[in-house]
Amino acid sequence: MSKSPVFIKEPYVKTSFANDKELDDFIKCSDPIMGYLHFMDNFFYIQHPTRGSMLYHPWDFQKELIDTYHRFRFSISLMARQTGKSTSAAGYLLWYAMFVPDTTILVAAHKYAGAQEIMSRIRYAYENCPEHIKAGVVTYNKGNIDFDNGSRIISATTTENTGRGLSISLLYLDEFAFVRPTIAKEFWTSITPTLATGGKAIITSTPNSDEDQFALIWKGANKTEDEYGNQTELGVNGFRAYKANWRAHPERDEKWAAEMRSQLGDDRFRREMEVEFIIADETLINPAKLIELEGIEPTFRQGQVRWYKKPTKGNIYVIGLDPSLGTGGDPAAIQIFEASSTTQVGEWKHNKTDIPSQIKLIAQITKYIVECTGEPNSIYYSVENNSIGEAALVSLNEYGEHNIQGTMLTESGVKKRKGFTTTNKSKLAACAKLKNLIERERMKLSSKSLISELKTFVASGGSYAAKVGETDDLVLSTLLVIRMIQLLGEYHFELEAQIKDHEEFLAPLPFFAVLG
Ligand SMILES: Nc1ncnc2c1ncn2[C@@H]1O[C@H](COP(=O)(O)OP(=O)(O)OP(=O)(O)O)[C@@H](O)[C@H]1O
Ligand SMILES: [Mg+2]
């Protein structure tokens, strides 16, 4: 036991309450569901750089943040600089240690100083906490505090070995994106088994590169769409994502932002204040444009087809299928576009739908469009006929083209096969067109999933493809639709005009020079 007994409560002494209010506050703080908020709002003291010692009253976004910490077993928060990440965590961890007995809490930060800073905030809060609320301590050091309820808080720098061998109930990682990538990866690999037995994890950081361990967990936490296109509370990795940029802070405004931006420079401001990841790879679409794309929620669904806009009379509709085996591996995808305005009106993607059912789906989609428009002659559909596509052509034949309303499109060329064949050359040409249409805002993308695929659609060996671990089926089916519209443009003048390149806007593909 260290020697600063003034502020420290002796272990195992009976707490006495001077009045009903004190007892009531203690009971409220002990509540496992809302106790943390009562504690943090009433008894958590912080040191403010200009205002001195003060009570922390969480701002609205901090309420959401600590609610996320508390409600979800695993949470990851992407936050702007100076938004109270470390402070909010310190208060929450102190509450946790004092009111949840027998827990081991590990605080790890990318630097020794960072871990110490959080510990010193925890100590400051503990020392200022009233007697009737605080728990007794057995050990009170710079790096660790042991409470008499069997709980302890330990701090460490994040290294490959941090936490190994400990049985951790709550892990807090501060500024995780700034731990060296190799260390972060190994640390994460070795720490996950210790969490598997029921531990909780809270990760907070401002963003860094879009490929580090923090970014990976963040991306997993944001994959919140189940196979029916519904949103789930948690990402595929079991993490809950929370995000707040500088605007969430009640004491900041545009004037502050303008000053900050000129101080930090544009790139740093975007990363540290707008919380944008740095995209290290060369994406097909300009990153500045990608960030602007938002997408919308489907307006209705038919089975697994997401519709963003009801088909209307007087438009040409184009439906492109990028088929797959449908045995659980690669997904198949269908795009539905209103060609005259290059607007995405519908989308479908699934990896367990067999090829005959994929063809049947095209028939259902075209039937529905006819129901809406009464114009079967304005519908064109097609399939990608490479490799697996051969099987799609067989299925199409069996199903019978006459059973599908609309016209099957086949690219002109020497090959007699129906549909569209993709070669490296045709893919690149379609990529260039897609880039041009999106960057010139001639194309309206609706699907959030398609936009998120575009963010990981990058230059790769003289062409473009999904980054390792990501998918690009929605992009590839969009490329097919573009080729279809180009082909149609030969007959429909208005389509030609819609998708025509404008010389002054024509940006070369990022690796144009390499292709020579
Ligand atoms: N609710 C609050 N009320 C008043 N001040 C607050 C509140 N939350 C945080 N602060 C103050 O805001 C400042 C920044 O807090 P903190 O260091 O926790 O932020 P951070 O997001 O961890 O910052 P950094 O990005 O620099 O690590 C501190 O001075 C802190 O005392
Ligand atoms: Mg901090």
Side-chain angles (χ1 to χ4, degrees), residues 243-397:
K243 177 172 168 175
N245 65 21
W246 66 271
R247 287 177 194 82
H249 199 298
E251 293 165 359
R252 288 176 188 166
D253 53 17
E254 294 295 337
K255 185 169 161 278
W256 174 91
E259 274 167 26
M260 254 318 165
R261 195 187 291 272
S262 72
Q263 245 179 58
L264 297 176
D266 211 34
D267 284 353
R268 228 179 116 190
F269 183 83
R270 284 172 65 166
R271 182 161 61 76
E272 296 186 1
M273 298 304 173
E274 302 281 9
V275 300
E276 289 169 12
F277 285 95
I278 302 164
I279 300 175
D281 285 287
E282 214 138 32
T283 46
L284 171 67
I285 313 299
N286 180 329
K289 192 82 221 168
L290 277 177
I291 284 156
E292 284 173 20
L293 299 177
E294 279 196 344
I296 52 173
E297 290 298 326
T299 47
F300 61 104
R301 291 188 164 88
Q302 287 175 329
Q304 288 154 344
V305 181
R306 304 183 273 256
W307 286 94
Y308 299 96
K309 194 179 168 195
K310 202 170 172 197
T312 46
K313 214 172 155 63
N315 286 306
I316 295 172
Y317 288 94
V318 171
I319 300 135
L321 163 67
D322 182 18
S324 86
L325 273 181
T327 49
D330 284 342
I334 293 177
Q335 292 295 348
I336 312 163
F337 271 76
E338 187 182 280
S340 17
S341 60
T342 33
T343 300
Q344 185 188 27
V345 297
E347 182 180 83
W348 171 87
K349 169 173 165 169
H350 201 237
N351 70 352
K352 285 186 191 129
T353 300
D354 61 21
I355 291 177
S357 310
Q358 292 167 29
I359 298 295
K360 215 147 116 204
L361 195 54
I362 293 188
Q364 285 163 5
I365 291 169
T366 60
K367 180 163 173 274
Y368 172 68
I369 298 177
V370 177
E371 275 167 29
C372 297
T373 66
E375 298 175 333
N377 292 337
S378 301
I379 303 172
Y380 298 90
Y381 65 93
S382 196
V383 299
E384 229 259 17
N385 63 20
N386 294 43
S387 52
I388 290 294
E390 193 66 54
L393 292 183
V394 173
S395 280
L396 181 62
N397 217 14

Side-chain angles (χ1 to χ4, degrees), residues 478-492:
T478 305
L479 293 178
L480 172 61
V481 162
I482 286 186
R483 289 170 66 195
M484 293 171 68
I485 298 176
Q486 278 181 304
L487 180 63
L488 285 170
E490 294 173 15
Y491 309 96
H492 295 269

Side-chain angles (χ1 to χ4, degrees), residues 80-87 114 117-118 121 172 174-175 204:
R81 288 293 317 278
Q82 288 287 301
T83 46
K85 300 182 282 297
S86 310
T87 303
E117 191 204 297
I118 295 168
R121 287 182 201 202
Y172 173 62
D174 195 36
E175 295 297 358
T204 60

